[in-house]
Amino acid sequence: MSMIRVEDLTFSYPSGSENIFENVSFQIDTDWKLGFIGRNGRGKTTFLNLLLGKYEYRGKIQASVQFDYFPYPVDEKDRLTEDILSEVCPMAEEWELQRELSYLEVREDVLWRPFSTLSNGEQTKVLLAALFLNDGHFLLIDEPTNHLDMKARETVSAYLKRKKGFILVSHDRCFLDGCVDHILAINRSDIEVQSGNFSSWFTNFQRQQGFELARNAKLKKDIDALEKSAKRTSTWSARTEAAKYGNGPVDRGYIGHKSAKMMKRAKSTEVRRQRAVSEKAGLLKNLETAEELKIVPLSYFTDTLAVFSDVAPVFDGKEICRPVSFEIRQGDRIALDGRNGAGKSCLLKLLTGQPIGHCGTISVGSGLRLSYVPQDTSMLKGSLSELAENSRIDESLFKAVLRKMDFDRTQFDKKMEYFSAGQKKKVLIAKSLCEQAHLYVWDEPLNYIDIYSRMQIENLIKEFAPTMIFVEHDIAFRNTAATKTCYIDSNI
């Protein structure tokens, strides 16, 4: 056991005008299973890169362990998986690799296959297994769930629970709850470390914010009352003092004493007011707000929007899943479930009219308007204004939705190719929310999206109940959003 100590850390990118971190101090134990959470753009990946020594910074980071980073960059993916893993963990024995792969429910024959032939989920699992075989290293795991189906997420979460000595960046609440024992949270104004899983941290965070909201409301009333009291007392004091110089005989000593007493009371009231103002200023610095999103789905003229009859995508003459049949009716929110590579994304693409080989028939209602959020974001290039114009959506509304999703105004003038992965996903979701459609088709919309935005989207779907068909492996989101589940059984 050793400690990683961060003292007075300050960092900003050379091109940035604001500090990402400013005088940050905390420490973590290298035996912890640490979940690392925070809004998109708060600096989670940046902090991991600082631990790796990639950037210069002010302050100190002290650690007696060597850091490894996931996702591990793999060159020449056509090489055998065994050869690649021998570079990742050169001291590990083959039997150790096979043991770790068995924990991750990966067949050992993947070691003798080209790495490029492994599915994204298999690649994630074998690289994690190899990295954990480097004794004495501390693993920095950056969003491993983006290529994992629901079953794989459960398997990897259970695997990580057996381990110790890692920082895990993830926005999947159930995944975090299954494997971490501490939380490192980047809040609006500070960084905090807390024992427990995500759910316990979030409960405590909400309680604290609830207390601060109530205290803030009380202090506001107190400050208003004290301001009025101070003003009244000050006015009375001035009037009393002026009475000493009025007409006729007066007891100036008595009046002066009374005036001084009132002035003292006014000063005491002002001190109390200043104290309340100071306390109020220290509240709600970490309050996370998520404005309500809106969507205006169109109503279709018949109950049935689309029908799949014995449909299966076909590649190289082979069906990649067992044929499926289902209907999409108004009000349905259908979640497609199945392992990676089962053809879920292909079924969504077929619904949108993309030319993919398949068997069976797909009947789409006449004049049906779709709004599609693809899994891939690489097509996003140019400015937000250009995207709004090309998509025929209102630019002001589009940017207003992005702002509600915690999108910084400074990003509006940048090219989308320079956005982070989470920002690109938010762009696609905001675009979809601005499109009036009968059916919303979303393919893994939450990849890289922060926890607060996920909850925000869940609330939107609960309130406006758009007709949807989607693929998403976040269990919490699925349980909230889906009214039906269609399981896709892979033939591979």
Side-chain angles (χ1 to χ4, degrees), residues 113-154:
R113 287 167 46 194
F115 187 79
S116 59
T117 66
L118 274 59
S119 69
N120 287 329
E122 288 173 331
Q123 291 180 6
T124 294
K125 289 177 179 180
V126 299
L127 289 174
L128 279 175
L131 287 165
F132 271 113
L133 287 173
N134 287 324
D135 286 339
H137 291 206
F138 189 87
L139 191 52
L140 311 176
I141 311 172
D142 198 357
E143 302 203 54
T145 61
N146 289 322
H147 297 300
L148 299 178
D149 58 45
M150 190 176 295
K151 179 64 170 65
R153 291 186 187 204
E154 293 173 355

Side-chain angles (χ1 to χ4, degrees), residues 313-382:
V314 176
F315 287 96
D316 297 327
K318 296 181 180 178
E319 299 173 2
I320 65 173
C321 67
R322 293 182 181 176
V324 293
S325 299
F326 61 90
E327 294 182 344
I328 305 174
R329 296 179 175 273
Q330 290 205 66
D332 284 346
R333 296 190 296 279
I334 300 174
L336 298 185
D337 190 13
R339 290 185 174 274
N340 291 126
K344 302 182 297 296
S345 294
C346 291
L347 291 172
L348 296 186
K349 290 176 181 177
L350 284 168
L351 181 59
T352 64
Q354 297 184 44
I356 294 175
H358 64 282
C359 64
T361 58
I362 304 170
S363 301
V364 178
S366 174
L368 187 72
R369 292 175 62 175
L370 306 177
S371 177
Y372 178 50
V373 173
Q375 188 178 143
D376 182 22
T377 63
S378 62
M379 84 297 293
L380 291 176
K381 300 184 187 301

Side-chain angles (χ1 to χ4, degrees), residues 21-288:
F21 302 110
E22 187 167 356
N23 299 324
V24 169
S25 297
F26 60 91
Q27 61 182 28
I28 57 180
D29 193 313
T30 55
D31 279 348
W32 288 350
K33 317 176 210 291
L34 187 66
F36 193 11
I37 62 173
R39 286 272 204 178
N40 292 133
R42 288 269 171 88
K44 298 182 295 297
T45 298
T46 297
F47 177 69
L48 300 187
N49 284 324
L50 290 174
L51 291 179
L52 293 167
K54 291 188 175 182
Y55 307 128
E56 293 184 1
Y57 57 87
R58 298 199 307 274
K60 292 182 180 179
I61 297 178
Q62 297 176 318
S64 59
V65 292
Q66 181 176 334
F67 296 108
D68 286 339
Y69 181 76
F70 176 92
Y72 184 88
V74 176
D75 298 322
E76 301 178 31
K77 293 187 177 183
D78 289 334
R79 291 183 295 155
L80 291 180
T81 300
E82 183 183 34
D83 294 336
I84 290 172
L85 298 189
S86 66
E87 294 179 0
V88 179
C89 52
M91 303 302 293
E93 300 287 343
E94 185 177 300
W95 67 269
E96 291 179 299
L97 273 173
Q98 292 175 353
R99 179 196 65 203
E100 297 299 303
L101 293 180
S102 70
Y103 294 152
L104 287 162
E105 300 179 7
V106 177
R107 292 171 48 177
E108 63 182 56
D109 63 2
V110 302
L111 294 173
W112 302 288
R113 287 167 46 194
F115 187 79
S116 59
T117 66
L118 274 59
S119 69
N120 287 329
E122 288 173 331
Q123 291 180 6
T124 294
K125 289 177 179 180
V126 299
L127 289 174
L128 279 175
L131 287 165
F132 271 113
L133 287 173
N134 287 324
D135 286 339
H137 291 206
F138 189 87
L139 191 52
L140 311 176
I141 311 172
D142 198 357
E143 302 203 54
T145 61
N146 289 322
H147 297 300
L148 299 178
D149 58 45
M150 190 176 295
K151 179 64 170 65
R153 291 186 187 204
E154 293 173 355
T155 301
V156 172
S157 182
Y159 177 75
L160 292 176
K161 189 174 183 179
R162 304 168 65 108
K163 303 297 181 181
K164 63 181 180 180
F166 62 80
I167 294 178
L168 168 65
V169 177
S170 178
H171 301 297
D172 187 319
R173 291 151 284 179
C174 295
F175 185 81
L176 286 167
D177 278 348
C179 62
V180 304
D181 56 23
H182 284 76
I183 291 291
L184 174 64
I186 299 185
N187 300 321
R188 287 179 59 196
S189 67
D190 60 22
I191 293 181
E192 67 169 323
V193 180
Q194 189 177 119
S195 176
N197 59 17
F198 171 78
S199 290
S200 64
W201 172 85
F202 190 62
T203 297
N204 291 335
F205 183 80
Q206 286 183 308
R207 284 175 181 162
Q208 177 65 24
Q209 298 310 306
F211 166 79
E212 291 191 11
L213 282 166
R215 184 63 180 158
N216 183 73
K218 184 179 184 305
L219 286 171
K220 187 176 184 303
K221 289 182 180 179
D222 290 348
I223 290 167
D224 290 343
L226 288 167
E227 284 177 345
K228 292 176 181 178
S229 176
K231 187 175 180 180
R232 284 196 305 267
T233 306
S234 178
T235 301
W236 292 340
S237 175
R239 287 175 179 173
T240 303
E241 183 68 16
K244 290 194 301 183
Y245 307 102
N247 297 322
V250 294
D251 185 345
R252 288 189 172 86
Y254 169 75
I255 293 176
H257 173 73
K258 186 177 179 181
S259 174
K261 188 176 180 180
M262 288 184 176
M263 186 61 69
K264 184 178 179 180
R265 184 186 299 175
K267 288 181 178 179
S268 175
T269 301
E270 177 60 19
V271 169
R272 288 167 58 198
R273 189 190 73 83
Q274 289 289 350
R275 198 176 294 147
V277 168
S278 178
E279 182 183 350
K280 185 175 182 296
L283 298 175
L284 303 176
K285 289 187 175 181
N286 287 327
L287 182 65
E288 294 287 356

Side-chain angles (χ1 to χ4, degrees), residues 393-394 397-399 401 429-436:
I393 58 176
D394 183 88
L397 175 62
F398 178 44
K399 290 181 176 178
V401 173
I429 292 173
K431 170 181 170 292
S432 183
L433 297 183
C434 292
E435 293 172 336
Q436 288 191 315

